[in-house]
Amino acid sequence: MKYSSLLIAALGLPASRPAAALSRPPAVVSRPVPMAATQDSTAEKMLAFQRSNGGWPKAVNEVKVDYRHPMSAADLTAARRDAGATDATIDNNATTREITYLVTAFRNTQNPAYKQAAESGIRYLLKMQQPSGGFPQYFPDTRFYRAQITYNDNAMTKALTVLKAVADKKGDFALVDAALVPPAQKAMDKGVQCILKTQYVQHGKLTVWCAQHDRVTLLPCKARAFELPSLSGDESVAIVEFLLTLDQPSPEVRRAVTAAMAWFQASKIENMAVADITDPQEPKGRDRVMVPQPGSTLWARFYDLDTNQPIYVGRDGVKHARLADIENERRTGYVYAGTWPEKLLNKDYPKWQQKWPAP
C-alpha cells in the first residue's frame, strides 16, 4: 500500500478494511491482533503522530488528524515517518488534547510510553512559550502570523490550562515527572502576566483581547485577511474563564476580569439572532443571516478597536457594518456572531464575584 493511502486511512477517511493498533514494535499483519493489556488504541495512534520536538500536528497534508479511525501497523509506521516535521501546533486543540489524553491513558494502563509522550508534550509547551509569556500558534514554524501570540480558537488558554494542571498536580497530571511542576508554575505565571499586558486599552478604558497579539509590541495584530486587529467577542471569553480558575487572584487579575465583564455587557447586540436559511439564489443554496428576535442577545466576533462597533470582514479585508455585506462563502463558512459570553455573564462571573469582589 502506498504511503499516501496509508496516511488517508490514518487521518480518518474511509478505509478499505478495519485494523487494530498493535504493541510496539509493530508487525505488519493481514488480520486484527488482540491488543495487549497495557495498550490503549487511541494512545498508540497519538504516539505515532507525535513529532520529535514533543508536539503534535492538527493535520497532515491538509487532512485533519482523526484518532477515531482504525489504524493498522503499517499505518502507524507510515505516520511515524513524519516525526521530524515542523508542523507541531496548539491550534484546534492539537498537542493539549494529546497530553491530556495520554496522562489518563497512563493511569489506566501504566504503560510508561504514554507518560513519556505526555511529558514530552508538556516540555514542548514550555519550549514554545515566548519571552512575553505568550504562546504562538505553531512552533517552531514562524511563517505568516503563526509566531504571534495566539488566543485564536483558545490556543493559548488551553496551553495554560494544561500547564496549570501540571503545576497544581491536578487529577492525572499528578502522575507526571515532579520536575515539571516548578517550570509549569513559572510558565503559567508568565502567561497570566501576558494576558494582563495584552488586554486592550480603548480610550483609557480596559476592554478585552484580540484573537492575535504581536509577540513584540503586544498590540492587536492581523491574522488571515478577514481577521483584522480587533476586539474579540469570542476568544476573550475563554481568557476570562481561565482567569476565573486562578487561586487567590491578584488585584490586577480582578481588575482585568471586572473590566472585561463590563465590556461584554456594553457590547451586546440585543434582540437579534443568527439563522441559517435556505436560499436558492446563493451558490450552495443556503445563507446565514442576522434576524430580529425579541429577548435574544448576540455578540460579534470582531469589534473595531476605535469605535467598538461590530465589524464584519470578508476575504477582501474590508470592514463592513453588516453581516449581509460580506460574501456568502464567509457568511456561511465562518462564525461572525454568537452567544459566547452568555454563561459568563449569567452564571460564572456572578459566582466568582461573590468570592472575589472588585478591588
Side-chain angles (χ1 to χ4, degrees):
M1 186 181 291
K2 294 183 179 179
Y3 172 64
S4 59
S5 61
L6 291 172
L7 182 59
I8 288 172
L11 296 180
L13 297 180
S16 58
R17 60 180 177 84
L22 307 176
S23 59
R24 299 175 72 180
V28 178
V29 295
S30 58
R31 56 186 173 79
V33 174
M35 188 171 61
T38 57
Q39 281 193 325
D40 176 300
S41 61
T42 298
E44 289 296 310
K45 297 168 197 174
M46 290 179 174
L47 296 187
F49 281 102
Q50 188 172 27
R51 300 320 192 203
S52 56
N53 59 20
W56 280 266
K58 66 176 182 179
V60 177
N61 293 336
E62 300 185 1
V63 180
K64 183 180 178 181
V65 174
D66 185 351
Y67 295 117
R68 296 170 299 179
H69 198 277
M71 292 177 67
S72 69
D75 296 334
L76 294 171
T77 298
R80 292 188 191 101
R81 294 189 188 120
D82 284 334
T86 59
D87 55 355
T89 179
I90 55 172
D91 192 32
N92 291 6
N93 300 323
T95 300
T96 53
R97 166 188 57 185
E98 285 86 354
I99 293 170
T100 302
Y101 187 93
L102 286 165
V103 293
T104 298
F106 170 66
R107 173 177 61 79
N108 291 336
T109 66
Q110 293 301 300
N111 188 326
Y114 303 157
K115 178 174 180 283
Q116 292 165 6
E119 290 170 348
S120 293
I122 293 165
R123 293 186 182 97
Y124 170 79
L125 296 182
L126 295 172
K127 284 185 294 185
M128 80 184 306
Q129 189 175 32
Q130 298 166 341
S132 67
F135 285 76
Q137 185 184 52
Y138 281 75
F139 179 81
D141 187 352
T142 59
R143 293 175 298 161
F144 316 120
Y145 52 85
R146 293 178 174 183
Q148 306 297 10
I149 297 168
T150 303
Y151 297 123
N152 191 36
D153 291 333
N154 308 327
M156 176 166 157
T157 52
K158 287 176 180 174
L160 289 175
T161 297
V162 166
L163 292 173
K164 185 176 187 298
V166 175
D168 294 345
K169 302 179 183 179
K170 182 179 178 180
D172 296 335
F173 283 93
L175 301 174
V176 304
D177 186 353
L180 291 169
V181 172
Q185 182 66 57
K186 182 178 179 181
M188 202 269 292
D189 292 341
K190 283 179 63 179
V192 171
Q193 290 305 306
C194 180
I195 288 173
L196 297 178
K197 291 175 182 176
T198 51
Q199 190 171 15
Y200 189 71
V201 178
Q202 185 183 73
H203 305 305
K205 180 184 287 189
L206 276 177
T207 60
V208 286
W209 295 264
C210 183
Q212 298 82 212
H213 285 253
D214 187 278
R215 58 178 168 169
V216 177
T217 68
L218 306 187
L219 293 173
C221 65
K222 178 182 177 181
R224 290 174 288 188
F226 51 92
E227 296 169 330
L228 301 181
S230 56
L231 299 178
S232 172
D234 179 3
E235 282 82 6
S236 296
V237 172
I239 295 172
V240 174
E241 288 174 340
F242 173 75
L243 293 177
L244 295 188
T245 69
L246 300 180
D247 299 323
Q248 301 295 323
S250 67
E252 292 79 13
V253 168
R254 283 182 280 160
R255 276 195 291 270
V257 169
T258 301
M261 297 309 298
W263 184 89
F264 288 132
Q265 188 69 39
S267 302
K268 292 178 177 179
I269 304 172
E270 296 185 299
N271 300 313
M272 294 294 290
V274 174
D276 289 324
I277 64 171
T278 299
D279 187 345
Q281 303 301 315
E282 296 295 346
K284 293 186 178 180
R286 60 189 176 92
D287 204 352
R288 180 171 292 156
V289 296
M290 293 178 67
V291 296
Q293 183 172 310
S296 178
T297 301
L298 293 175
W299 284 262
R301 181 78 176 260
F302 306 120
Y303 288 79
D304 187 88
L305 291 173
D306 182 52
T307 67
N308 206 53
Q309 292 301 303
I311 57 173
Y312 306 93
V313 185
R315 293 193 182 276
D316 60 2
V318 178
K319 296 179 186 179
H320 295 280
R322 302 185 310 152
L323 179 63
D325 292 335
I326 64 173
E327 67 269 27
N328 176 267
E329 181 273 333
R330 283 295 78 197
R331 288 199 303 270
T332 58
Y334 193 78
V335 181
Y336 286 88
T339 60
W340 306 290
E342 200 167 63
K343 183 171 175 287
L344 263 181
L345 282 168
N346 296 335
K347 183 178 179 181
D348 297 340
Y349 177 62
K351 184 178 179 180
W352 180 89
Q353 198 175 27
Q354 290 179 358
K355 188 175 182 179
W356 306 109

